[in-house]
């Protein structure tokens, strides 16, 4: 998998933006990706040094459309901690 396949999107939430001030970034990633693959993809895509990664599987919510029940797809979230003084400039302007 290339780093474009591993990193799907940044997480957009108040909690994620609060973490950006401390050098912690959150991304939605491929459910099949491992921590080492995620680390390599972040470093290659943004040119930063990753210190630590936490991952979690987020189950999809049940949703109702009219009288039919369905559910959203399961996803995987990665919380990435960068080295001191490093930032991802592409995500800083979104806040």
């Amino acid at each position: 998998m290339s780093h474009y396949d591993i990193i799907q999107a940044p997480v957009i939430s108040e909690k994620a933006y609060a973490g950006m001030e401390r050098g912690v970034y959150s991304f939605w990633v491929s459910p099949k990706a491992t921590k080492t693959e995620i680390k390599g993809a972040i470093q290659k895509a943004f040119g930063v040094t990753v210190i630590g990664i936490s991952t979690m599987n987020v189950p999809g919510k049940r949703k109702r459309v009219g009288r039919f029940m369905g559910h959203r797809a399961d996803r995987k979230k990665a919380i990435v901690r960068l080295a001191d003084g490093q930032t991802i400039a592409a995500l800083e302007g979104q806040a």
Side-chain angles (χ1 to χ4, degrees), residues 21-65:
E21 297 171 2
R22 296 178 286 122
V24 178
Y25 294 84
S26 302
F27 295 95
W28 294 116
V29 296
S30 171
K32 296 179 181 180
T34 63
K35 286 185 179 184
T36 53
E37 291 174 338
I38 296 167
K39 180 178 179 177
I42 297 291
Q43 290 179 346
K44 187 174 181 182
F46 299 109
V48 294
T49 304
V50 175
I51 292 178
I53 294 182
S54 299
T55 59
M56 60 197 75
N57 290 310
V58 180
K61 294 181 178 181
R62 290 176 51 118
K63 291 292 177 179
R64 180 177 167 174
V65 180

Side-chain angles (χ1 to χ4, degrees), residues 2-15:
S2 73
H3 61 279
Y4 295 111
D5 297 328
I6 294 172
I7 304 169
Q8 294 176 346
V11 175
I12 308 297
S13 69
E14 289 183 27
K15 191 172 185 179

